Amino acid sequence: MSETYFKELPVPLNDSDEPRTVGFELEFSGLTLEQTSTILCSVVDGECVRESKAEHKVKTSDLGTFNVEIDWAYLKKKAKAEGADESSLLKELGNLAERWVPIEIVCPPLTLAQCKVLTTLVDKLRNAGAKGTDESWIAAYGVHINAEIPKLDAPTVLRYLQAYGLLQWWLIEKHQVDTTRKISPYIDKYPEDYLHRLMTQDEADLSTLIDDYLSFNATRNRALDMLPLFSMVDEDRVMNVVNDGKIKARPTFHYRLPNCQIEHPGWQLSEEWNLWWVIEALASDQNALAYWRNAFLEAERPIMGVAETDWKERLTQWLSDREWW
């Protein structure tokens, strides 16, 4: 199901009564850092600032600053495997990037109205030769969606966790997650014991939600990574369990499930956003959320847990009936 528009949020404003924002991270190969920055500058009318041989910033007057980065750790690992020293690595950086080095565009927080510019960006990157998840069996390129939470309080966080937990198997199927990414550790599902814990909670404070999450998910490698958001609440509590410098505290969810299918004609970031939107819709519908929480608990079987195939079929029919998907 390809979509070229970004569905409006059921809860469009944040706690300050301002439009909620979303940041996208887009991973791909096939282009150099210079090519990518040039295309981005032309689309967003930005100024390119070359921070290093592995990172450019594209600054705009109205959208904020975009980062364009080469996955430097990946590059050095590959170069070492092929016997290249760091000096030759720097000289050949552009050629290496064209072959197999991931490029990542990190967008600033944008309103959904501003996200329309990303449609043009994806088209131009594709036309220039950008390649996504299907490019290589070792690539595992993806799209990350960083949606701002409408209100950073315990009831809101709990509803989103429950909504995602109920939908996670369905989402994996609908995103058509690539096999390479499924077997990688980067987008692991929440364990079913944690889902049971979530569905039995009518309310909880933020400290309990963080402790529960860390007990079952002490890693960045989850399809819905809550560590950046929980670090906004209590960074010390998070870092005492997962001491990882890559965790950046921010009031957003960090959704890492979608593939990057930029090489496919017609594919757009809006298609992945509109699947995230289903989580938003369920989280904002308390009656529906209560119904499916109870249904999940009733569907649990001793030892075997919930039957995934049956669960996905039930959800698919219900979501179709409601025209949510």
Side-chain angles (χ1 to χ4, degrees):
M1 179 179 178
S2 179
E3 299 282 3
T4 56
Y5 67 97
F6 293 82
K7 283 190 177 183
E8 294 294 332
L9 287 160
V11 182
L13 302 180
N14 62 22
D15 204 23
S16 300
D17 290 330
E18 297 175 343
R20 290 171 60 197
T21 58
V22 55
F24 287 92
E25 301 171 41
L26 181 63
E27 301 169 340
F28 56 91
S29 61
L31 302 177
T32 64
L33 189 68
E34 190 71 34
Q35 287 174 311
T36 303
S37 297
T38 299
I39 291 169
L40 179 57
C41 281
S42 71
V43 172
V44 300
D45 191 23
E47 175 189 2
C48 183
V49 178
R50 290 161 177 79
E51 297 283 317
S52 71
K53 292 181 181 295
E55 180 183 8
H56 291 175
K57 292 185 182 297
V58 174
K59 298 184 176 182
T60 72
S61 60
D62 55 344
L63 300 176
T65 299
F66 295 75
N67 275 22
V68 185
E69 306 168 357
I70 289 177
D71 190 334
W72 188 253
Y74 180 88
L75 177 59
K76 290 198 289 187
K77 180 180 177 181
K78 287 289 291 185
K80 184 177 180 180
E82 295 189 2
D85 60 33
E86 189 153 326
S87 175
S88 62
L89 178 68
L90 293 173
K91 293 177 183 178
E92 297 298 326
L93 189 58
N95 291 333
L96 291 169
E98 288 180 341
R99 282 193 287 151
W100 39 250
V101 179
I103 296 284
E104 182 175 25
I105 295 178
V106 181
C107 301
L110 303 172
T111 65
L112 289 182
Q114 291 172 327
C115 284
K116 293 175 183 176
V117 72
L118 301 180
T119 300
T120 302
L121 175 62
V122 166
D123 285 340
K124 287 187 176 293
L125 292 170
R126 177 188 300 115
N127 292 339
K131 306 292 184 183
T133 308
D134 294 345
E135 168 68 2
S136 168
W137 68 271
I138 64 170
Y141 305 148
V143 169
H144 298 181
I145 300 175
N146 303 305
E148 181 183 13
I149 191 168
K151 187 174 184 178
L152 187 47
D153 63 8
T156 304
V157 172
L158 179 58
R159 288 199 306 273
Y160 273 86
L161 282 170
Q162 290 170 337
Y164 169 75
L166 292 166
L167 291 164
Q168 72 168 353
W169 298 332
W170 179 85
L171 288 163
I172 290 168
E173 181 174 284
K174 292 304 175 184
H175 279 297
Q176 299 180 336
V177 177
D178 182 80
T179 301
T180 300
R181 302 186 71 236
K182 282 182 180 179
I183 63 176
S184 76
Y186 305 121
I187 54 168
D188 284 347
K189 297 176 288 189
Y190 290 160
E192 198 162 332
D193 286 349
Y194 179 58
L195 297 184
H196 177 87
R197 171 66 175 155
L198 285 173
M199 303 315 157
T200 55
Q201 290 177 292
D202 292 316
E203 59 182 33
D205 56 38
L206 281 171
S207 294
T208 299
L209 290 173
I210 294 172
D211 286 342
D212 286 347
Y213 185 87
L214 293 173
S215 293
F216 291 95
N217 308 285
T219 174
R220 294 173 58 244
N221 296 332
R222 290 290 184 266
L224 180 59
D225 171 19
M226 295 292 290
L227 297 180
L229 190 146
F230 284 148
S231 292
M232 279 290 296
V233 178
D234 192 336
E235 188 169 19
D236 289 342
R237 188 186 295 265
V238 172
M239 290 300 178
N240 284 339
V241 178
V242 187
N243 189 9
D244 190 323
K246 291 186 177 181
I247 299 171
K248 305 299 182 186
R250 55 183 184 262
T252 70
F253 303 100
H254 188 198
Y255 185 58
R256 310 172 70 199
L257 194 57
N259 298 327
C260 175
Q261 296 183 312
I262 195 168
E263 72 275 29
H264 293 201
W267 178 85
Q268 282 293 340
L269 289 170
S270 54
E271 183 175 349
E272 312 306 336
W273 168 259
N274 292 346
L275 273 165
W276 167 261
W277 179 92
V278 180
I279 302 172
E280 295 274 353
L282 184 55
S284 65
D285 188 330
Q286 295 196 40
N287 290 333
L289 190 61
Y291 170 82
W292 283 105
R293 282 174 52 205
N294 290 331
F296 187 90
L297 295 172
E298 291 172 357
E300 288 181 327
R301 302 167 296 171
I303 302 175
M304 299 179 67
V306 177
E308 182 175 331
T309 299
D310 293 346
W311 184 255
K312 288 187 295 188
E313 289 176 356
R314 288 181 63 185
L315 272 175
T316 298
Q317 184 60 56
W318 183 80
L319 292 168
S320 176
D321 290 343
R322 296 197 66 154
E323 297 184 345
W324 282 6
W325 187 255

